[in-house]
Amino acid sequence: MTTEAAPEGPLALQRKDFVTDQEVRWCPGCGDYSILAQTQKLMPELDVPRENIVFISGIGCSSRLPYYMNTYGFHSIHGRAPTIATGLKVMNPDLKVFVITGDGDGLSIGGNHLLHVMRRNVDITIVLFNNRIYGLTKGQYSPTSEFGKRTKSSPMGTVDTPLHPLSVAISAEASFVARSLDIDPKHLIATIERAARHKGTSFIEVYQNCNVFNDGAFMEFADKAVRSDRTVRLEHGQPLIFGKEREKGIRLNGTTPEIVTLGNGVSESDLWIHDETREDPVLSFILSRMHWPDFPEPMGVVRAVERPTYEALVQQQVDEAIERQGEGDLDKLFMEGDTWTVE
Amino acid sequence: MSAEDGRRPSDAPSHQIEELERVTIRFAGDSGDGMQLAGLQFTNTSALYGNDVSTIPDFPAEIRAPAGSIPGVSSFQVSFSSHDIHTPGDQPDVLVVMNPAALKAHLGDLPKGGLLIVNTDEFTKPNLRKALYAENPLEDDSLVAYRVVKVPVGSMNARALADSGLNTMQIDRSKNSFALGLMFWLYERPLDSTIRWFEEKFARNPEVRDANITTLKAGYNFGDTAELFPVRYHVAKADLPPGRYRNITGNAATALGFVTASKLADLPLFYGSYPITPATDILHELSRFKNFGVKTFQAEDEIAAIGSAIGASFGGFLGLTGTSGPGLALKSEALGLAVMVELPLVVAMIQRAGPSTGMPTKTDQADLLQVLFGRNGESPVAVVAPATPSECFTYAIEAFRLALRHMTPTVFLSDGYLGTGSEPWRVPAADELPRIEVKFAKDADAFNPYDRDPETLARPWATPGTPGLEHRIGGLEKADVTGNVSYDPDNHEKMTRFRAEKIARIANDIPDLEVVGGESGDLLVLGWGSTYGANLSAVIRARKEGLAVSCAQLRYLNPFPSNVGDVIARFDQVLIPELNLGQLAMLVRSRYLVDAVSLNKVTGRPFLIAEIEEKIHELVGSKVKV
């Protein structure tokens, strides 16, 4: 579905149609290249006219992505992309709007907007590049940096407890929450596609390597050699199974997840069956707290529930008002309340 | 109860009618006493009757300051007249006080000989203590200089509503209506408009509706029968230009102006705002106009409010945000973004006393420099400033006209005095208002995001959804024409100068500064915004005395109208009254190298006419032409 084969669909767009003439200016080896490539590859699949696609970003390395997408784009100010996306989408619901952000942009300076856009369920896709470091300002700790991390601004280690982006999204009522990995392109493109097709706010955390300031941050579990043992693929309706031989699984003991080895009386039917559509967020939240080395890192769609989008509800009120009061008539409005005539 | 009007001969026939040109009444009471409501109803009735009216409310920032305390006093001043008036009056002729705290807070403004109507029921020991009175001022001789009329409003109201079926607390809440009825009688006002209002307002609560109507009439009849007042007063209809009128506050007029701009430009309006005094009324008003396609968005904060409005503008719609001083400070960075991306955004900025939280419900003009310069980098925006409550309508439309034609963020700069004050507004016919022309880029072959219109230097408005015009904008410096990111030194200088020149050229698109009075003379009173009424009234008085004084009010603050320098040069002196420490004066002095004199006031209250007059006399008083 995501190869660069002959164009399909009525629009017959190709990846190259989404590439701009701007020189890409990320450091060589940056995980952002992979995310850009998968995003460009995905665009023709969405079958949305190019002119109806908008990429909006804040500030940071990730936020340069709109310059490289041959769509409409807005490289705005630090942390504020969700606000611009909200105004745009409310006024023109036909647009396909992506917000590109990072752990600093989205969770630090823009944390407030991220919360509110998700609770409102504005129909946009947010891709948060999480590299657990400030790259553009050359190596300070971020709100997702692990406790005690030594950086240029924390020579003795941080004393800040990190945020879990997926926990934040779930707590903020996001209707779609997922995670993927920069160096797993197939999974990445599939996850972005799922998110893009979701109606409502979709939030994806992408573990992204900053090879200059935080190299290998995820390699302990992301390395291909160990990935199947140290991550678990979430698939709707399927048990949580992982391991090279698919020999391990996660079982729920009340609300406590535990790792079990299949066999010896433990079968697949004993395992936690993933249900991304479950309204109650408790299980999604448990998934959002599972991290290597205690657990395999969950990858994929954690949560995908349906509820009305913000812009649809806003439009509905406008339509209702017009139905009840008729199309606005200025002369009538001017004359509201008591008026009098001077001859 | 007795009328303590020293002038009343004991055998005078009751209820003579005395003709007055202008009367100013101040209703003052506890913030729970309904003084705003009483004032508004008196205003509407007077306006309907045909007077010119001007009002100013004054209320505490606290929703409910401790009852009976001085900080909890709320007041509403209305001036009504048989001729054209421009301010709500320097001093009240009549002060209605509902409790000791209101007396304490407002008596200082009542001139000697003024009429003081006191609700005696509230002058109890505890209330006197709360108002910091050691002795009951009604019982000593501290009020001898005034014409005091003691009315037990609370108990009269309670008696009138004894059979209403309401409980004591509910009954007490209607006492403002009793006082209002009494004032209606005193000034010969009809009750029907207020009765109609009660009928609508309390349609679902017939007991409260009936109670208010009953006590309103009781207050009126009380005036008629109690012989408290020897004279009733008559203020004839004003000679306003013919037309259909309604009374309107500045903020209501602002909201109407914006929805009108949306119709005139044929583009839906988006209003992103975070509640903030004194701008919140605009959000309330616009959220009622959904059937005009208006979409209001109560954002999570001030930044989201402007960000969402920028998003709407980027999308090809009318992006609007509104705020006051502290909110504008938060919006600064995003406003700079709008400057860089050159989108048509309007910011409605309703000033209040600062710095920081300052005095939210008090007026001020101290954000002029913040509006003009409060951003990083060279980041000019267009600024318009209405001078009266009803002008807010006109300049709200004008803000969008300039924003759209010149592709620039534009600030609509009002203040609390304009926003909450009211005056009659001559209602225009919608089809007589000039349409706002909007041009969208369509032609992909000829498109460059930062091409410029040779006349205005405006860049094209190319909106998402338009095929072939896909492009990227953002806060990084743009290369001329292409709009690509550029760090080229010469390009940055060029673009910085383009942005400045684009705003400067708006001067070709706005009217000249108009001078009221002589075209030249000894003194020009130059003002901006809400000082207009006081400036104009003072200048009219000075001219009657034979002084060669004129006034001019700047409605465009960036750019200035192109004739400002010429106007200034025709006067020997320039006086600039401002509710700040001299911000316009700083601009005028630096731009025109003129030794302008500042008159400054930062009390949270508007200028009195007398204050301007006094300064005029100080500067040119000796030059009276005989």
Side-chain angles (χ1 to χ4, degrees), chain B residues 18-196:
Chain B
E18 192 177 318
E19 193 74 25
L20 295 175
E21 254 191 30
R22 176 178 186 169
V23 173
T24 300
I25 301 177
R26 186 182 297 175
F27 295 89
D30 198 65
S31 48
D33 282 344
M35 293 295 94
Q36 304 300 321
L37 191 153
L40 269 175
Q41 287 306 314
F42 195 94
T43 305
N44 283 345
T45 293
S46 299
L48 277 174
Y49 174 75
N51 297 134
D52 194 8
V53 298
S54 178
T55 70
I56 180 171
D58 186 14
F59 37 82
E62 297 82 10
I63 298 302
R64 284 279 184 273
S69 69
I70 296 171
V73 173
S74 165
S75 74
F76 188 101
Q77 182 163 314
V78 49
S79 196
F80 54 106
S81 172
S82 59
H83 61 270
D84 196 14
I85 54 173
H86 311 287
T87 78
D90 279 9
Q91 296 171 305
D93 304 302
V94 184
L95 177 62
V96 181
V97 295
M98 299 297 278
N99 69 1
L103 180 67
K104 185 83 163 204
H106 291 284
L107 185 66
D109 291 340
L110 186 68
K112 308 289 180 217
L115 184 59
L116 177 64
I117 298 172
V118 184
N119 171 24
T120 52
D121 286 327
E122 293 293 318
F123 281 67
T124 59
K125 277 227 166 77
N127 283 349
L128 289 163
R129 235 187 343 263
K130 281 188 225 164
L132 311 176
Y133 276 115
E135 301 292 332
N136 186 345
L138 302 181
E139 288 167 5
D140 58 24
D141 55 3
S142 60
L143 301 176
V144 287
Y146 310 97
R147 293 183 284 142
V148 182
V149 179
K150 298 177 188 171
V151 184
V153 175
S155 45
M156 297 295 295
N157 170 62
R159 225 167 295 153
L161 299 181
D163 303 326
S164 63
L166 298 176
N167 65 35
T168 320
M169 216 159 94
Q170 289 170 314
I171 287 175
D172 196 53
R173 264 189 225 137
S174 307
K175 64 175 184 271
N176 56 337
S177 297
F178 185 92
L180 179 62
L182 181 61
M183 297 312 286
F184 278 154
W185 174 82
L186 187 60
Y187 291 95
E188 290 200 296
R189 315 267 105 162
L191 305 181
D192 49 340
S193 150
T194 299
I195 291 173
R196 245 189 349 262

Side-chain angles (χ1 to χ4, degrees), chain A residues 51-52 66 71-73 75 83 87 90 112-113 120 310 315 317 326 328 331 334-336 338-342, chain B residues 47 193 240 242-246 263 288 290-291 295 297 300-301 308 430 465-466 469-475:
Chain A
E51 65 270 18
N52 283 353
T71 62
Y72 282 90
H75 177 215
T83 72
V90 163
N112 195 28
H113 310 307
R120 293 188 182 110
Y310 184 76
Q315 184 61 48
Q317 289 194 340
D331 287 314
F334 293 164
M335 293 299 211
E336 247 186 11
D338 287 331
T339 61
W340 68 97
T341 302
V342 174
Chain B
S193 150
L240 298 171
R244 193 87 194 146
Y245 283 81
R246 70 181 268 200
K263 276 274 186 184
R288 297 194 298 122
K290 292 187 169 59
N291 64 326
K295 291 180 177 173
F297 172 62
E300 59 270 23
D301 60 25
S308 59
T466 315
L469 304 191
E470 296 83 5
H471 67 287
R472 275 64 56 194
I473 57 172

